[in-house]
Amino acid sequence: MAVGIMIGVLALYVGVGLALVKVIKTEDDFYTMGGRGSTVLIVGTLAATYLSATTLLGIAGQSYTEGPLVISALGSFGAWVGTLLAVVYVGRKMKAYGCSTMPDFFDKRFNNKWVSVVAIIIMIVGLIGYGVIQFIGAGIVLSEVTGVDYRIIVIIFTIAMLVFTAVGGMYGIVVTDTMMFFTMLMISVVIAPILIGQAGFDQMKNLAETLPGYWSIAGTEDRHIGWSISQFLVWILFFTCIPALVSRIFPAKNDFVILKVAIIGIFFAPFMQITVFLAAAAVRVLDPNISDPDYAMVIGFLDYTPPAIAGIGLAALMASIMSTASTLFVLVGFALSRDLYERLFDKKLNTKESLGAARIGQIIVGIVVCIITIIRPSAIYWISIYAGSIFAVGWLPTIVASFEWRRMNSKAALASMILGVTAFVLVGEAIRFNWLPVPEGIDALMISLVISVGALIVAAFLTKPNEYELRYYDTMKSTSMAKITLNEFMKRPDGLAQIKRQYKQIYAIAIIMTIITIGVWGYLFFMLGFN
Amino acid sequence: MNIDVLILFFNATLVTIISCVVVIGILKKQYLPVIQEEENKQRNAQNNNRANETITNDPEQKEGVR
């Protein structure tokens, strides 16, 4: 029954994805859903994207083994703050500058083919690595749970994703993501409470008696605090500029939607993650002998919830994988066709050609990813290690300097991106093979970030921005989402009244969400924080 | 009291509070001055209209105007 419900829910996503092809009429519809994203849709797609197989399988497994605080107390906190920065800083600014994709920004800011090409290659490597590794893990787990052959599961995934990426573009992604978000929310509001209720808060706290360190940041492995702090920095830097999150803001209708998303969406980041990690601790009480901890949540769904709920749990797990992976594939598809092809060969495609090229790009990415996932080469793990961090060292210094520093130019961008990524790979390998002794817990990302920032500053001081770069910087400084939104609203007959209504509404949302957050986390702290 | 557990839930609360503070900061800095300016403009426009109406309704003023 559980598997039947899961398949039914997934078929619904695919059906909706197919139905959305009718609304795609222009390039804007395909890339940014024509700027029609409401608060619900943008919150949905953002939340669905940051809950991935890594959370539900990997980190949940670690919470089961080592305790729920190891990653969540600092590492996840970095991810939540990073998500906030991705929304209100990077995403909001890039949307104001009229970017449909993140590589658009590099193109507009520097008007330099090689900066764009290097930025796009970084994005393609990073996104494929990040997407494929989740896909492999989830494929293994779900093929075991459902009994369906691993290769068939992977092929079904690929076809299902291509339906709403190649057909519906960003429109399909945003709408299906929002549906998936509500399915995933079931884990936090229904399944986690069921599991925690069965285990009991007292039994969960008592795990620390048999597993010392279970309710500590160091965990049962007694990890060094430097490691936890490093995790915090890695996630905050990575999430701030990962295209999967930043590009969620581009379809937003206006700045008021972005500001509401910044409050509501950010609340859901910890809400959807901490509840999963606590549920994993509950599963530890209920079944302490799970040999592969990555299965903790799946076993929790199947063995400790009613079959219908378990089916929805499995569908939510699949949704978390599909939403994250489809987002990554659609972005790589856009990057291959729209960004790389058009820029590298200096070709300007018309609307029809551009949509066709983007779809072909997505199908190529889908096939490549499907093949890599089926082959499961060990090298893919090498890529995955660099996948997330590559954005932090390759893109972040350039993006921040581009926003804030008038002297920033294409040579500094190239130096920072190339040296940052190269240093990350070399330092990472040197640490792995013990050629480079580093204080415990320090990540290769920290060292390479210093190199990336250093290269940017030195190159910027040794060179000068050209006239175009200076002019675009000044244009950027006179552009903001607030100005665009105010102008748009003031053209309406009752514009000022509408602005004031939105202003009050956002204030009210801020107050309500603060009360909810204090209530939810205060209650859980009361139940788990006292002996 | 478990300080490590406190850190987790404090951070979870903090991130929502930070996002609220950031958003309210944006509203106050980028929207409130424009709202106040537009309200002043509307108020001045209304006052001018009222003053004009008073002038046109007052017979003595009408004479004066003539």
Side-chain angles (χ1 to χ4, degrees), chain A residues 491-528:
Chain A
K491 283 179 193 154
R492 300 176 189 178
D494 59 341
L496 183 61
Q498 285 189 27
I499 292 169
K500 282 162 74 176
R501 203 159 42 240
Q502 291 287 335
Y503 187 94
K504 284 178 189 163
Q505 206 180 72
I506 295 171
Y507 246 95
I509 289 170
I511 293 166
I512 292 166
M513 293 316 291
T514 304
I515 293 168
I516 291 174
T517 202
I518 291 171
V520 170
W521 304 128
Y523 169 75
L524 286 170
F525 172 63
F526 184 74
M527 301 309 285
L528 291 164

Side-chain angles (χ1 to χ4, degrees), chain A residues 305-317:
Chain A
T305 65
I309 303 266
I312 292 170
L314 288 179
L317 173 61

Side-chain angles (χ1 to χ4, degrees), chain A residues 247-320:
Chain A
S247 63
R248 293 291 143 293
I249 300 309
F250 299 154
K253 215 184 282 179
N254 53 48
D255 199 26
F256 294 125
V257 168
I258 299 173
L259 298 178
K260 286 176 202 170
V261 169
I263 299 173
I264 304 167
I266 300 310
F267 165 76
F268 278 115
F271 183 74
M272 291 172 77
Q273 291 183 334
I274 292 177
T275 45
V276 168
F277 305 149
L278 294 179
V283 175
R284 179 80 192 217
V285 172
L286 298 169
D287 185 352
N289 300 315
I290 296 173
S291 53
D292 187 343
D294 282 352
Y295 289 75
M297 288 307 289
V298 178
I299 290 171
F301 297 158
L302 293 173
D303 293 354
Y304 298 97
T305 65
I309 303 266
I312 292 170
L314 288 179
L317 173 61
M318 290 279 276
S320 75

Side-chain angles (χ1 to χ4, degrees), chain A residues 48-87:
Chain A
T49 304
Y50 58 56
L51 195 72
S52 65
T54 312
T55 310
L56 284 165
L57 300 173
I59 308 177
Q62 196 176 27
S63 300
Y64 174 89
T65 321
E66 290 194 50
L69 308 183
V70 183
I71 292 279
S72 61
L74 291 175
S76 298
F77 179 49
W80 309 329
V81 178
T83 308
L84 175 64
L85 291 169
V87 174

